[in-house]
Amino acid sequence: MCGIAGFVGPWAASLARAMTEAIAHRGPDGGGLWDEAAGDRRVALGHRRLSIIDLSDAAAQPMADASDRYVITYNGEIYNYRSLRAGLEQAGAHFRTQSDTEVLLELFAREGLACVSKLDGIFAFAIWNRRENRLSLARDPLGVKPLYYAETGGGFLFASEIKALALCPDLPRAYDAEAVADHLGFLWTAGRHTMLRSVRKLRPGETLEVSPGGPVRIARYYRTPLYDPARPATSTGPGALRETIDGIVADQMVADVEVGALLSGGVDSSAIVAAMCRATDPAKITTFCATVTRPASGTDNFGDDQHHARLVAKHLGVRLVEVETDTDLAAALPGMVWQLDEPTADFAAVQTLLLARAARDNGIKVLLSGVGGDDLFTGYGRHTAALIWAHADRVPGGRRVAAALLRAVPPTGLLGRRLQRIGALLSLSQDEMLAEGMSYSAVDTPRRRSLLAEGMRAGMPAGGIPAALRASLDRTAGRPPVERFLDLELNAFLPDHNLNYTDKMAMQAGVEVRVPLVDRRLVDYAMQLPLSAKIGLRQTKRILRASQRDRLPADILTRPKQGFGTPVRAWLQGEARDMMADLTARDTVAARGLFDADAVAALREDFLARRIDAAFTLFPIMALELWCRALDDSPQEAAA
């Protein structure tokens, strides 16, 4: 797990060096730079190293193959590299290191970008073909590892993080209106868009090629499958699922350093730790749990992870490190949004950073996480709401009546807020319900649109559904709404939000987080399970819970979904009230030009008077302002 950066263009090698240093936190174990002239341009590949497999200097990057034709800079882990290596050796290949990097490079030398179909792992890489002056990039199937790129008039740049690209003096810094609208409604940016119009994300399961004199070519080699009743999973029983998870976890424990785990006491992370205990001695496993003070207001959904993590740790016989994650949120927020490369208004990111730091302090730089269980097997409240929507829609007028009853409930507590939310979703058409269900904001689309400055409103499409979400909805039209939610999550919410903050914040501490539940093999298997195996009106993750029945305590298997983060509503109403007032002040908002100052002021007053639940609409506005300030203060390298 590392950081990569580079370019093909008119710039000096000093730019690549600066780009690589900007992401030095991703690779505290070393760094490297390779560059050479390529016609009238220069190519440069930079690397920051976090040593996980083959800790020797021989495995350092950038790395050239034996023929000196190909040079790679690579971030990630190839879990099946040993079997790939054996096959290559049988075909006559000779290796100088024990690294997965060299295996990937040799495989590419023989098969080109088609090699990605053989990789089980998480990766983002760039390979320069010195003979053909061609740059090839690829990102893993589910988007665990980030990869950004930018085209300028003079060349092409790429990096693991946007802040590295922003160093280029030729990179325009204009804001992307669609990204601003996405952050306002969803906290994350869907599709290729980032906060900078000039920077794009390579999507999960995509490759990209840059050739002399030709256009950038992007191809997709993987897309999560949809359920096909004519091609069901080989076995739909919980035992088969358990064996699949066990095998993937064992594969993902490959490392030449100690591997630990994040343990919240939920069924996802607990299942991962239980599988780890089958692969190694439980006494050798160290787990980490976040602790946070619950707000007295009861308006935010946060449970007692500490209590449940203790139950699991004792039951499985693993070591548990409890990490205090109460922190000065106002002080943490500016750094968080810049470190994330996007103004993501979700304090779960800070908790991830604190957990990663605790792991590093304990000598551990690889963690397994349960991220993805909710997105693959159902687990979010919106999944249950979609199931209710489908049942109510079968009765003439059923949705209308249920929506009216639920929306009449006062949103004074957690239960009232949840019921109001379900009521609001029941009142919408299916596509509108699905898009709104992905949103964190309780402010409706027309009012969210009114918050945007006139020049930014074009970034919010008609109906408020971003183009990337619309593509998923079009692909899944006619399918059950829960199934459609899962497609939205696997192709938008998961890579663009959960996996993004998990990677960025853990790598701030020089820690690699692996995600067994987002393994392509498990995704392909799980998407061929019938929906009834995943969710019913009274329970989500049905088959996952059943698969762990003989491994985990009953309290864990029946525990409801609870949040991972910080009680934002209580925070904004209390200690962060002055900060909110400053960041959403009329003069501040008007000067930035992203939002309508009067509309923001009115929303803030309605929130403080408790007339509307606008915490997750105001919080993104605050995060956007702080991110823009950080961009204003970030340097650019001198032109070549």
Side-chain angles (χ1 to χ4, degrees), residues 21-231:
E21 285 303 309
I23 55 174
H25 50 272
R26 298 186 67 90
D29 297 333
L33 178 67
W34 177 92
D35 75 291
E36 70 176 10
D40 59 350
R41 301 186 297 174
R42 177 163 293 277
V43 57
L45 304 181
H47 188 264
R48 289 299 310 193
R49 186 182 185 190
L50 181 62
S51 304
I52 302 295
I53 295 174
D54 189 345
L55 311 185
S56 72
D57 291 342
Q61 298 181 51
M63 178 187 289
D65 74 324
S67 71
D68 213 27
R69 175 178 178 178
Y70 300 100
V71 184
I72 186 173
T73 184
Y74 150 62
N75 167 31
E77 308 292 346
I78 307 302
Y79 303 127
N80 64 333
Y81 80 99
R82 288 175 177 146
S83 61
L84 291 172
R85 177 180 175 131
L88 289 167
E89 286 176 329
Q90 289 179 358
H94 298 279
F95 292 91
R96 299 158 291 166
T97 74
Q98 298 300 313
S99 69
D100 60 337
T101 305
E102 191 179 10
V103 171
L104 171 57
L105 186 57
E106 180 65 26
L107 192 64
F108 179 90
R110 292 168 181 255
E111 301 185 16
L113 280 173
C115 74
V116 293
S117 64
K118 294 184 177 180
L119 305 178
D120 290 334
I122 52 178
F123 54 84
F125 66 77
I127 296 178
W128 176 249
N129 183 330
R130 300 179 67 197
R131 187 177 302 169
E132 299 177 6
N133 284 353
R134 181 167 61 243
L135 183 68
S136 300
L137 277 65
R139 190 177 180 197
D140 64 70
L142 278 302
V144 179
K145 295 287 91 194
L147 188 54
Y148 300 92
Y149 66 93
E151 296 179 75
T152 72
F156 178 90
L157 307 104
F158 68 90
S160 297
E161 299 186 8
I162 294 174
K163 58 184 68 66
L165 298 178
L167 290 167
C168 179
D170 299 323
L171 187 80
R173 291 190 171 193
Y175 303 127
D176 187 295
E178 188 167 332
V180 172
D182 283 357
H183 280 286
L184 182 64
F186 300 90
L187 308 190
W188 43 275
T189 307
R192 296 191 189 282
H193 291 266
T194 75
M195 274 297 293
L196 296 180
R197 280 208 307 264
S198 56
V199 176
R200 290 294 179 255
K201 293 177 275 190
L202 193 64
R203 299 304 298 150
E206 283 188 343
T207 62
L208 181 152
E209 286 188 313
V210 183
S211 298
V216 169
R217 292 179 295 178
I218 295 175
R220 190 162 197 168
Y221 68 89
Y222 177 80
R223 213 275 190 199
T224 55
L226 296 174
Y227 175 67
D228 181 357
R231 191 172 56 85

Side-chain angles (χ1 to χ4, degrees), residues 557-579:
L557 297 177
T558 57
R559 184 186 179 193
K561 172 69 178 175
Q562 291 174 311
F564 176 58
T566 299
V568 171
R569 293 173 182 84
W571 181 65
L572 291 180
Q573 291 280 0
E575 61 189 275
R577 185 167 178 154
D578 290 344
M579 183 184 192

Side-chain angles (χ1 to χ4, degrees), residues 176-352:
D176 187 295
E178 188 167 332
V180 172
D182 283 357
H183 280 286
L184 182 64
F186 300 90
L187 308 190
W188 43 275
T189 307
R192 296 191 189 282
H193 291 266
T194 75
M195 274 297 293
L196 296 180
R197 280 208 307 264
S198 56
V199 176
R200 290 294 179 255
K201 293 177 275 190
L202 193 64
R203 299 304 298 150
E206 283 188 343
T207 62
L208 181 152
E209 286 188 313
V210 183
S211 298
V216 169
R217 292 179 295 178
I218 295 175
R220 190 162 197 168
Y221 68 89
Y222 177 80
R223 213 275 190 199
T224 55
L226 296 174
Y227 175 67
D228 181 357
R231 191 172 56 85
T234 305
S235 175
T236 59
L241 174 59
R242 182 172 58 246
E243 290 175 9
T244 301
I245 293 173
D246 285 353
I248 289 170
V249 167
D251 287 350
Q252 296 202 11
M253 291 180 72
V254 60
D256 293 329
V257 296
E258 186 177 348
V259 178
L262 298 173
L263 178 61
S264 69
V267 65
D268 302 333
S269 63
S270 300
I272 297 303
V273 176
M276 293 175 72
C277 291
R278 268 66 189 173
T280 191
D281 180 357
K284 296 180 179 179
I285 299 172
T286 301
T287 63
F288 298 85
C289 170
T291 67
V292 63
T293 302
R294 296 185 67 179
S297 65
T299 57
D300 293 275
N301 178 29
F302 293 96
D304 187 359
D305 283 358
Q306 183 180 21
H307 168 72
H308 291 90
R310 286 174 179 172
L311 283 178
V312 175
K314 182 178 180 180
H315 183 79
L316 296 176
V318 300
R319 179 187 176 216
L320 177 67
V321 176
E322 297 173 10
V323 183
E324 174 59 60
T325 58
D326 283 327
T327 187
D328 185 342
L329 299 178
L333 182 57
M336 181 189 86
V337 297
W338 185 243
Q339 289 158 358
L340 289 171
D341 280 326
E342 296 278 351
T344 305
D346 190 341
F347 276 127
V350 172
Q351 285 189 308
T352 301

